[in-house]
Amino acid sequence: MSPTPRYPLLARLACVLLCLSGCGAYLEGDITDIPNVPITQREFCAVDQDCVDPELFICDTATSRCVAACRTEADCRGERRGKHALAVCDEAGGRGCICDMNRCLPAVCAEDADCDGDRACRDGACVAQPEPSQAASCEVTPAVVVGSPGLVVDFRVWVRDSAGRPLVPRGGLTWAALTPSVTEAAVAAAGRFVLAEPASEHPAVRVQVGEATCSARVNVLPPDVAEGGVRVLVVDSQTGWPVPLAVVAVSDDDGEQTAAMVTNADGTAWVPARGEVGLTAYHPEFGYLTLARHDASRFRDVRLALVRNPLDRFGGVRGVLPTVEGALTAGSLLRVGVAGLSVPGLPSDQTSEFLVGPEREVSLPVWSGMEAPRLSLPSGAALWMADARVPEVSLPGLAGMCDGALLGGLDPELTMRAGACGTRTAWALTGVLSVADLPLGALQPKVDPLLQLGRVLQGSPRFFSLVARDTPFTLAPTPGIGVGAPDVQAAEYAQPLPFGSSQGVRLSFPFVVQVPSLPQYLGTYLDRAYVLATVGAPGRGLVPLGLGAAGNTSPADPNTDADSRLGRPGHIPVRMAPAHGGLEGQPYRLLVSAVGDAADGSLATSTLVKTFEGPRFDPEGLRPVAMDAGFLSLPESARYNFDGESHQGLDGREFKATVDSRATLVRVEFSTRAGRRWTVLMPPDDVDDGVQVPRPPFGFEDRTFASPLGATRARLHVEVLRVSSLSRREGEGVARLVAADGPRLERLADLTDAIASVRLGHPEVTWLHPEADGQRLARGSAVRLRVSGFRLGAPPEGQGRVHIRLQGGAGCVGPFDMEQGAPTDGVGEFQLRLPEGCQGVGATLTATLVGPDGVPLRPLVTSSRRVDIH
């Protein structure tokens, strides 16, 4: 029998390195034990010939044990194995075993159709059909809806049994309209209703599951809108509650405000407006939202969904991950795990702290007799030796809906309206790695661990997925947020990790995704691609279930590099678990992202989203999953003038870009140091001519700058999207998305099937030497500085250069100007020598970024040092 593939050391290290970068899933090396799989041969071994029958067993060198092996599925059955039969593979009523990477492993179901008779697939196993009579409680999502007559809403329900565990019955749901304020949709679909007669907020939609009932509250606005203006409804995108006291402002083509009103208790405000205007909703607790070039004469009833400031409050769950394969405690085994809480909406709506957790330093005692290395891990990642204490992980969560059981007597509605609680789906990917022979140099910098992991994940059938569908938590004000410097490291997590002793479900479905031609950024093809397999949880967000990845360096061309086993460029192997933990029956989504970094610190990403039928066991890629369309091209020409006056060919506060003709929406997002956002939605046909960002009303910070002082640029993120329900035809684009009876802005992530984005670098110049004012320097000595977030050189590849001035001191012919056009010591770093004749106390070194015309950037990007030269 051919031996199990042995992976290179670097591949084995991928999971460790992955933790260091806070990404994705984990590789479990060649470990023998899998929950519920008896290993009949446990004698120690060094080679396959040490096993009782090398035709049926191979030696797992990671644990020096013989394990059941196979070439085909028939090798796992009792008639082939004889006295070495595996009970789990021949169990009556079971699904038997599959041959996965030469290992006999229990078959895992992905849907009810995989099970015989009237049984159902739950948590990857065929079980008795859950009955509606087992339902003890339920929850409708969305729980609150405010809108105008004609708005179509698809309600969904989460069901729990008497122990509070998720329950997914097959059928048995009865939906009903309780009042004339809603009617069933003409296109029949379970839980789909249309807002009808005006009414204040009240329970209007009910669902019954067995003896359990739950309802959603609805507020239907009057249908008529006064002439000469626009009615704007402002709601919280995560709860559906109306947002009162928001300022709705109207601006002209030059960004000047012409009118403003404040929303009332039902979240509405009427503002006078005609023709083409800008509409902006401002609220200090939410991200600002601007509709550019809105036709106020034609679309006079608008619904805007705001995203709460992500760093104003912080919290979530904390605890230790369950230990899968608990019998393995050898000191040479390294356990790894990554976990998180589902994130709803577009990833760009949130900060990195919510996507991977804030980073912290941990110690990893791997090599005996040597000092344990200190590693930087995100708070959701854990890395520990199998015989050591399990470290805690902390999972931050986003505000949303919650129930009163968590709040200790606090009013649930007031708590939700304040953004002080939420309910998301907790997920984790865990595994074990043998580190018996890890060299000290294995943890190399500049290695992309997610890429390395994705390349070898197909070859490891021993990853496990954990899911806790209904995970509630509280959020408290983030320390330091009051002064604009949120310290998420000091935040508390009041609720425990919800996994208990769950062993999870194996990532048992390997398959292949055919990736379209990769796009270019600044003349270079993006150098890597990732595939994330997820399941959508309505009202909760996407939940990761698996991963795949490939580079694009050999050669750098439109196709991802060929996998060593498949040998086909443009094809990425993926491995995933089926939906489980109460998410059965929800839609699967594949996210395929092409990624590349630029020298100026900008990040280019083009992503395709595909809803697919579900996981399949196809390790050879005989039926690859093809995406529905190609990647959108990147908005690399995007430019914005942060200054209020004309500068470098742009009017004050003007944005311009040329975008892919297939795009139906452009989003431009500014982010302050405190994580507060300003999002501008633009029609694609208008950005080539330029769009003005309005000035905020008095009393509101200008979030196009990093701080209220307005001295530094905010970070700029430009996205072009293809939204399935929109087109470029007049009235079918952005205006349709935000129309009162439209598809709803809070569903943008569900409606989007392609995104191309560029997160532009933040221009900065930093002195490396001298490090501080007052430092003494020798005459003619070298000084060093670093430039980041800015492409040095002439257009179109470059954005300008750095201008350095020495002034003051005796014998310094000054001011003495030096210009450096390209790095001389590393990427973005410069080293230059002071004039030999320059000396004295209080000399000043000033570095300033300038454009191609030599004019300093606006606002000024500069850094100075006062030094004594002797």
Side-chain angles (χ1 to χ4, degrees):
M1 173 163 294
S2 60
T4 300
R6 316 295 196 211
Y7 303 113
L9 181 59
L10 182 59
R12 289 179 144 196
L13 289 173
C15 67
V16 182
L17 298 175
L18 183 62
C19 291
L20 307 185
S21 68
C23 305
Y26 290 88
L27 172 64
E28 182 242 346
D30 297 327
I31 305 302
T32 59
D33 287 357
I34 290 182
N36 303 318
V37 182
I39 303 300
T40 59
Q41 298 294 319
R42 294 183 178 273
E43 68 269 19
F44 289 99
C45 62
V47 294
D48 293 350
Q49 285 68 31
D50 292 338
C51 300
V52 64
D53 186 345
E55 288 295 312
L56 299 178
F57 296 90
I58 57 175
C59 183
D60 186 331
T61 57
T63 56
S64 299
R65 290 177 176 175
C66 295
V67 296
C70 56
R71 287 194 191 96
T72 67
E73 187 175 314
D75 292 331
C76 301
R77 298 174 186 152
E79 55 266 29
R80 171 72 176 88
R81 304 192 69 86
K83 65 180 182 179
H84 302 302
L86 304 173
V88 71
C89 298
D90 298 305
E91 183 180 0
R95 298 196 69 240
C97 289
I98 58 172
C99 184
D100 191 351
M101 294 303 296
N102 299 125
R103 303 296 178 91
C104 292
L105 301 173
V108 172
C109 63
E111 57 182 342
D112 290 352
D114 294 338
C115 301
D116 297 331
D118 195 37
R119 296 199 298 168
C121 181
R122 298 292 182 268
D123 292 328
C126 293
V127 299
Q129 185 70 240
E131 297 295 335
S133 59
Q134 297 174 253
S137 63
C138 60
E139 170 194 351
V140 176
T141 181
V144 178
V145 175
V146 183
S148 301
L151 180 67
V152 179
V153 182
D154 286 312
F155 294 95
R156 296 291 182 265
V157 63
W158 298 120
V159 184
R160 291 177 282 270
D161 64 16
S162 58
R165 295 185 296 260
L167 182 71
V168 185
R170 183 191 293 174
L173 304 180
T174 303
W175 292 90
L178 300 179
T179 70
S181 61
V182 296
T183 60
E184 291 189 14
V187 179
R192 178 172 295 175
F193 292 86
V194 181
L195 303 196
E197 296 184 10
S200 58
E201 185 181 307
H202 66 290
V205 173
R206 182 185 66 195
V207 62
Q208 181 168 351
V209 191
E211 297 299 319
T213 61
C214 47
S215 61
R217 302 179 66 84
V218 170
N219 181 354
V220 184
L221 304 174
D224 298 327
V225 178
E227 294 290 338
V230 177
R231 178 174 66 184
V232 178
L233 167 65
V234 181
V235 300
D236 182 338
S237 65
Q238 295 305 319
T239 66
W241 295 106
V243 178
L245 302 179
V247 172
V248 177
V250 181
S251 56
D252 59 22
D253 284 347
D254 296 325
E256 299 298 327
Q257 181 177 307
T258 60
M261 295 293 290
V262 177
T263 57
N264 55 29
D266 65 2
T268 63
W270 182 91
V271 289
R274 293 181 183 275
E276 194 174 82
V277 300
L279 286 177
T280 304
Y282 301 93
H283 194 287
E285 297 177 9
F286 292 82
Y288 303 162
L289 180 62
T290 295
L291 297 181
R293 305 282 177 85
H294 180 75
D295 188 346
S297 298
R298 181 177 175 186
F299 298 96
R300 299 190 302 109
D301 202 359
V302 171
R303 190 175 193 277
L304 299 182
L306 303 188
V307 177
R308 189 171 290 277
N309 294 335
L311 296 185
D312 284 9
R313 288 180 174 268
F314 214 80
V317 297
R318 169 177 288 172
V320 297
L321 292 172
T323 302
V324 299
E325 300 148 330
L328 298 176
T329 58
S332 62
L333 297 179
L334 182 69
R335 294 192 181 277
V336 293
V338 66
L341 293 174
S342 57
V343 178
L346 295 170
S348 56
D349 288 334
Q350 312 304 332
T351 64
S352 61
E353 288 85 355
F354 279 103
L355 299 177
V356 299
E359 293 206 352
R360 87 280 197 213
E361 196 173 71
V362 300
S363 174
L364 180 63
V366 176
W367 297 282
S368 175
M370 302 190 68
E371 182 179 356
R374 304 291 296 179
L375 308 176
S376 181
L377 295 179
S379 67
L383 189 65
W384 71 101
M385 302 308 295
D387 57 354
R389 182 178 63 86
V390 183
E392 283 192 329
V393 294
S394 301
L395 315 183
L398 293 174
M401 305 299 286
C402 63
D403 58 39
L406 188 72
L407 303 179
L410 297 176
D411 182 271
E413 180 176 333
L414 293 179
T415 305
M416 287 184 281
R417 284 177 177 267
C421 67
T423 303
R424 301 294 169 202
T425 295
W427 59 270
L429 298 167
T430 64
V432 184
L433 175 70
S434 173
V435 293
D437 57 352
L438 288 184
L440 283 175
L443 302 179
Q444 295 292 332
K446 298 183 179 179
V447 173
D448 183 343
L450 188 59
L451 179 61
Q452 296 294 337
L453 173 65
R455 285 170 168 165
V456 299
L457 182 60
Q458 173 88 359
S460 174
R462 294 171 172 84
F463 284 71
F464 293 87
S465 167
L466 303 169
V467 166
R469 189 191 68 188
D470 308 319
T471 302
F473 49 87
T474 55
L475 302 165
T478 308
I481 191 62
V483 294
D487 181 7
V488 296
Q489 298 286 357
E492 296 185 359
Y493 300 78
Q495 281 70 45
L497 202 66
F499 297 123
S501 59
S502 171
Q503 292 293 294
V505 175
R506 185 168 58 88
L507 274 64
S508 49
F509 291 94
F511 61 98
V512 174
V513 173
Q514 184 176 350
V515 178
S517 297
L518 302 182
Q520 291 182 319
Y521 180 60
L522 301 177
T524 302
Y525 287 103
L526 300 189
D527 61 10
R528 58 198 186 277
Y530 308 101
V531 179
L532 187 65
T534 71
V535 61
R540 305 278 198 264
L542 292 180
V543 180
L545 295 175
L547 176 70
N552 180 35
T553 57
S554 303
D557 62 8
N559 298 313
T560 56
D561 295 341
D563 174 76
S564 59
R565 187 176 58 83
L566 293 176
R568 282 180 279 171
H571 291 74
I572 298 182
V574 182
R575 185 177 284 271
M576 69 177 294
H580 59 101
L583 297 177
E584 293 89 346
Q586 300 304 324
Y588 290 102
R589 289 194 176 92
L590 279 179
L591 281 67
V592 180
S593 295
V595 182
D597 305 289
D600 64 352
S602 59
L603 177 68
T605 305
S606 191
T607 300
L608 297 173
V609 182
K610 177 184 178 70
T611 299
F612 72 118
E613 65 278 5
R616 61 178 64 165
F617 187 81
D618 183 22
E620 302 302 322
L622 301 179
R623 297 174 297 140
V625 177
M627 305 307 289
D628 298 327
F631 289 106
L632 294 179
S633 58
L634 293 154
E636 59 184 40
S637 65
R639 296 189 303 147
Y640 177 71
N641 179 11
F642 287 84
D643 196 63
E645 303 296 329
S646 297
H647 183 60
Q648 293 184 345
L650 294 175
D651 291 338
R653 303 176 69 89
E654 184 181 29
F655 173 84
K656 278 188 177 183
T658 301
V659 301
D660 195 302
S661 61
R662 296 168 292 173
T664 56
L665 175 65
V666 176
R667 292 175 88 240
V668 176
E669 185 176 79
F670 303 91
S671 180
T672 71
R673 288 198 179 102
R676 293 166 179 165
R677 311 297 178 84
W678 187 343
T679 301
V680 185
L681 304 182
M682 307 177 181
D685 290 334
D686 291 337
V687 295
D688 193 46
D689 296 329
V691 174
Q692 246 79 22
V693 175
R695 300 177 186 274
F698 177 78
F700 287 89
E701 67 174 322
D702 189 345
R703 295 182 181 176
T704 65
F705 294 96
S707 69
L709 298 178
T712 307
R713 301 178 179 193
R715 295 193 179 276
L716 179 60
H717 186 197
V718 181
E719 289 182 327
V720 297
L721 302 89
R722 185 175 63 229
V723 184
S724 58
S725 59
L726 307 183
S727 74
R728 287 199 173 193
R729 294 192 300 271
E730 186 177 356
E732 297 297 325
V734 183
R736 175 62 184 157
L737 180 65
V738 301
D741 60 349
R744 292 189 295 149
L745 183 58
E746 56 266 47
R747 295 187 59 240
L748 180 59
D750 296 333
L751 300 170
T752 299
D753 59 22
I755 309 172
S757 67
V758 175
R759 192 178 296 275
L760 297 175
H762 187 65
E764 289 183 318
V765 57
T766 306
W767 284 103
L768 303 177
H769 179 72
E771 297 91 350
D773 286 338
Q775 192 166 338
R776 298 185 58 164
L777 301 177
R779 284 185 297 173
S781 63
V783 295
R784 294 175 57 237
L785 57 86
R786 177 187 298 123
V787 174
S788 59
F790 186 76
R791 295 194 303 273
L792 296 162
E797 292 81 10
Q799 297 171 304
R801 57 190 188 275
V802 59
H803 177 102
I804 303 169
R805 171 171 291 190
L806 171 62
Q807 193 170 13
C812 301
V813 179
F816 184 86
D817 291 342
M818 296 170 282
E819 291 189 355
Q820 191 77 36
T824 57
D825 183 17
V827 176
E829 292 189 6
F830 302 92
Q831 178 171 304
L832 50 92
R833 293 193 173 276
L834 299 172
E836 290 286 348
C838 180
Q839 63 180 342
V841 176
T844 301
L845 283 165
T846 302
T848 303
L849 296 184
V850 300
D853 55 2
V855 177
L857 302 186
R858 299 179 187 173
L860 203 62
V861 181
T862 187
S863 181
S864 298
R865 285 285 183 268
R866 293 183 61 83
V867 295
D868 297 336
I869 306 174
H870 298 278

